[in-house]
Amino acid sequence: MQALQRRIGTLEDAELEVMDQVETQQAALDEVLAELETTRAKVADVTAARDAAFAELDGQSGELTAERARLAGDLPDDLVALYEKVRAQYGSGAAALRARGCEGCRLELNGSDLRVIAATADDEVVRCPECSRILVRTAESGL
């Protein structure tokens, strides 16, 4: 009987230990679940902000596409065709000539190319000798 009483006592102690561990783990689980809910709420907020930003960008894109079409309608057809051809090849059809360099390919033009460009009439189309993009001449061109 004493051996059984000791065994029952040992098992009850083990059961209490396990119950204590369960309580500790349950508290940790509850904490993690609360953190999960907080994270889910943040994800929902960020997703809503992202979707609103996408909607705004889509609206702006539509407006800019319409404005681009209107502006392209005012340009000569051969210039628009050239621009589109170069754009399809390089991703952009025109680049600024800034500080003696092409902003498209990021290369500095040599002196002879710059002299040719400087001698070209303002209303004539000039292309980069390196990347073939249409060069837009400005006061910052360095000519």
Side-chain angles (χ1 to χ4, degrees), residues 93-129:
L97 177 61
R98 198 170 276 135
R100 303 169 37 112
C102 172
E103 291 287 308
C105 60
R106 303 283 185 198
L107 295 176
E108 186 173 324
L109 287 105
N110 62 42
S112 65
D113 289 334
L114 289 170
R115 281 190 294 281
V116 169
I117 292 170
T120 305
D122 288 342
D123 62 345
E124 194 171 325
V125 175
V126 178
R127 296 179 68 182
C128 175

Side-chain angles (χ1 to χ4, degrees), residues 22-23 29-30 33-34 40 42-43 50 55 58 74 76 108 110 118 120 125 127 138:
V22 167
E23 284 179 15
L29 177 63
D30 291 344
L33 290 175
R40 282 185 177 157
K42 287 179 184 177
V43 167
R50 180 206 60 198
D58 286 342
D74 296 340
E108 186 173 324
N110 62 42
T120 305
V125 175
R127 296 179 68 182
T138 66

Side-chain angles (χ1 to χ4, degrees), residues 28-129:
L29 177 63
D30 291 344
E31 190 176 308
V32 169
L33 290 175
E35 210 174 297
L36 176 64
E37 286 305 313
T38 301
T39 303
R40 282 185 177 157
K42 287 179 184 177
V43 167
D45 291 344
V46 169
T47 301
R50 180 206 60 198
D51 292 345
F54 277 151
E56 182 179 341
L57 289 173
D58 286 342
Q60 290 175 355
S61 176
E63 291 171 10
L64 291 173
T65 300
E67 183 177 352
R68 180 187 184 279
R70 182 186 61 76
L71 292 172
D74 296 340
L75 297 173
D77 291 338
D78 58 337
L79 179 61
V80 174
L82 173 63
Y83 174 83
E84 291 298 334
K85 178 183 173 189
V86 175
R87 180 177 161 212
Q89 187 175 7
Y90 295 107
S92 66
L97 177 61
R98 198 170 276 135
R100 303 169 37 112
C102 172
E103 291 287 308
C105 60
R106 303 283 185 198
L107 295 176
E108 186 173 324
L109 287 105
N110 62 42
S112 65
D113 289 334
L114 289 170
R115 281 190 294 281
V116 169
I117 292 170
T120 305
D122 288 342
D123 62 345
E124 194 171 325
V125 175
V126 178
R127 296 179 68 182
C128 175

